[in-house]
């Protein structure tokens, strides 16, 4: 008998659903995926609270997800909240407000839990004897996870993300080189302690995997993708020189011109320079020449744990 669930990731910038079914043999198949960019964490870097307007947008999105999920026979939904909710001063108000309106079970993940689920999803089909570094850049935080097989060797979560770095540092349009350098210096400083600890265990990394909206968007830009195609994204690799070329291209354009870049989603036009800068610093500091992009991430890790009755 097939069991069907809808896994929802409530992030700082986007809200995503992954609908999955599992058969008696334990095989997991995707039956639905969708995303809406609602910028839940807008203004939080300055105010520390999630706005009621943003909560209402989230409720509309969750109701929509339940509607389309119902067409696929999904009756059970689970949602996890990451950086924005984790750090919100009105976290309890948010949970009560959303839970009452949608009846969907919510779990606020710690940074470590978020990283662990991301690693599980990203490495699900990777060889078990390989040492892998997974980088997940979100809107409000970034996770760096080092592991081998199913064993996590180290996991770091830092409250540096594409949305909050944009709000805090990048106000000019086009972005000035001075502003961008200040942001990069701040990113490097914020990650210094975590990177030092990761570096001690990252000798002989077999591969680096990048997940999350920033990295899949960068891949989409390189592939000049008019319509997002996860099958083409998954397994695509790019190097540090290609990343630098994208950053230079982004910095030469103002906000309106960036909207015309093939592969760049409208909801990420303003924050992609910051996200790309975060990845640049991490790759450079960790000595990563290239990174492989995966479209399986926290949501797949979440599903695996739910099917194992270990998360909710």
């Amino acid at each position: 008998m097939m069991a069907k669930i809808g896994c929802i990731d409530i992030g700082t910038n986007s809200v995503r659903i992954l609908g999955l079914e599992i058969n008696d043999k334990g095989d997991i198949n995707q039956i639905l995926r969708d995303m809406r960019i609602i910028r839940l964490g807008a203004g939080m870097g300055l105010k520390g609270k999630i706005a009621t307007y943003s909560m209402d947008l989230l409720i509309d999105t969750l109701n929509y997800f339940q509607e389309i999920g119902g067409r696929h026979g999904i009756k059970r939904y689970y949602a996890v909240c990451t950086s924005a909710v984790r750090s919100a001063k009105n976290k309890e108000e948010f949970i009560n407000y959303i839970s009452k309106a949608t009846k969907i079970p919510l779990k606020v993940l710690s940074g470590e839990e978020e990283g662990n689920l991301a690693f599980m999803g990203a490495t699900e089909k990777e060889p078990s004897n390989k040492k892998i570094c997974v980088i997940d850049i979100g809107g409000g935080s970034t996770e760096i996870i080092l592991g081998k097989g199913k064993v996590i060797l180290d996991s770091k979560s830092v409250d540096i993300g594409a949305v909050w770095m944009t709000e805090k540092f990048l106000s000019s349009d086009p972005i000035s080189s001075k502003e961008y350098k200040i942001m990069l210096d701040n990113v490097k400083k914020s990650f210094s302690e975590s990177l030092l600890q990761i570096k001690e265990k990252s000798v002989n990394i077999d591969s680096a995997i990048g997940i999350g909206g920033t990295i899949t968007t960068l891949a989409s830009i390189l592939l000049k993708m008019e319509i997002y195609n996860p099958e083409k994204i998954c397994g695509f690799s790019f190097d540090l020189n290609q990343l630098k070329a994208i950053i230079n291209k982004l910095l030469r354009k103002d906000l309106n011109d960036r909207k015309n870049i093939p592969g760049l989603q409208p909801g990420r036009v303003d924050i992609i320079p910051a996200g790309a800068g975060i990845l640049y610093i991490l790759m450079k500091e960790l000595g990563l020449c290239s990174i492989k992009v995966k479209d399986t991430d926290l949501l797949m890790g979440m599903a695996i744990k739910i099917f194992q009755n270990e998360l909710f």
Side-chain angles (χ1 to χ4, degrees):
M1 182 178 178
M2 293 282 189
K4 298 181 180 182
I5 61 170
C7 298
I8 299 169
D9 170 22
I10 300 172
T12 303
N13 190 52
S14 64
V15 186
R16 304 177 300 139
I17 183 170
L18 182 64
L20 298 158
E21 62 181 10
I22 185 169
N23 61 26
D24 294 334
K25 296 179 181 179
D27 300 320
I28 298 175
N29 297 308
Q30 178 183 305
I31 55 175
L32 168 68
R33 66 183 297 146
D34 206 338
M35 178 192 72
R36 280 189 174 180
I37 294 177
I38 66 168
R39 197 66 60 89
L40 183 70
M44 271 194 63
L46 304 173
K47 301 174 184 176
K49 289 186 176 183
I50 299 172
T52 303
Y53 170 75
S54 297
M55 294 188 205
D56 289 334
L57 280 177
L58 175 59
I59 289 170
D60 288 343
T61 299
L62 295 177
N63 287 337
Y64 165 70
F65 283 170
Q66 290 183 91
E67 179 187 335
I68 60 172
R71 299 174 199 162
H72 293 271
I74 298 172
K75 295 180 180 179
R76 295 161 54 204
Y77 299 86
Y78 304 90
V80 295
C81 308
T82 55
S83 177
V85 180
R86 184 163 63 232
S87 59
K89 293 178 181 178
N90 59 339
K91 177 169 61 177
E92 295 305 320
E93 175 193 342
F94 170 89
I95 292 171
N96 292 334
Y97 193 77
I98 302 302
S99 297
K100 184 177 179 181
T102 67
K103 310 301 181 187
I104 295 175
L106 295 179
K107 179 177 174 61
V108 181
L109 298 176
S110 67
E112 182 178 1
E113 287 173 324
E114 182 179 355
N116 291 352
L117 291 178
F119 183 86
M120 181 178 291
T123 61
E124 180 206 7
K125 295 183 179 179
E126 294 293 319
S128 60
N129 62 336
K130 301 292 185 181
K131 184 187 280 189
I132 297 172
C133 178
V134 173
I135 297 174
D136 182 2
I137 300 172
S141 70
T142 295
E143 283 67 47
I144 310 168
I145 315 99
L146 184 68
K148 187 173 184 179
K150 305 295 183 185
V151 179
I152 291 177
L153 304 174
D154 204 350
S155 178
K156 303 296 180 188
S157 179
V158 180
D159 289 332
I160 295 291
V163 172
W164 292 349
M165 289 298 96
T166 301
E167 289 185 351
K168 189 172 182 179
F169 294 104
L170 307 181
S171 59
S172 59
D173 186 30
I175 297 166
S176 72
S177 56
K178 181 180 179 181
E179 272 189 355
Y180 202 70
K181 184 180 184 304
I182 291 172
M183 185 207 73
L184 291 179
D185 289 343
N186 183 272
V187 170
K188 185 176 179 180
K189 182 179 179 181
S190 299
F191 276 103
S192 59
E193 185 177 341
S194 295
L195 287 175
L196 187 63
Q197 294 171 11
I198 288 281
K199 281 180 183 179
E200 293 174 356
K201 301 175 183 177
S202 64
V203 179
N204 299 323
I205 287 178
D206 291 297
S207 66
I209 294 175
I211 58 176
T214 286
I215 296 175
T216 56
T217 297
L218 291 169
S220 183
I221 291 171
L222 284 166
L223 290 166
K224 298 181 179 179
M225 227 177 246
E226 295 290 351
I227 299 174
Y228 185 80
N229 185 337
E231 292 182 1
K232 288 185 178 180
I233 289 288
C234 200
F236 177 78
S237 295
F238 59 88
D239 60 31
L240 200 55
N241 288 330
Q242 288 174 296
L243 177 57
K244 285 174 67 175
I246 292 179
I247 291 172
N248 290 335
K249 181 179 181 179
L250 292 170
L251 296 183
R252 287 195 301 267
K253 296 179 180 290
D254 62 20
L255 194 63
N256 281 329
D257 284 341
R258 291 203 296 272
K259 292 176 182 177
N260 298 318
I261 297 176
L264 181 49
Q265 297 167 314
R268 299 190 188 277
V269 168
D270 57 336
I271 64 172
I272 193 62
I278 294 169
L279 180 61
Y280 176 77
I281 291 296
L282 294 181
M283 288 182 68
K284 191 174 179 183
E285 292 299 308
L286 289 170
L288 304 176
C289 297
S290 65
I291 192 162
K292 180 168 71 172
V293 185
K294 295 289 285 289
D295 198 64
T296 53
D297 51 23
L298 178 148
L299 283 171
M300 181 57 74
M302 178 183 172
I304 293 169
K305 283 291 188 182
I306 290 172
F307 283 131
Q308 293 173 347
N309 296 314
E310 294 179 4
L311 190 59
F312 281 86

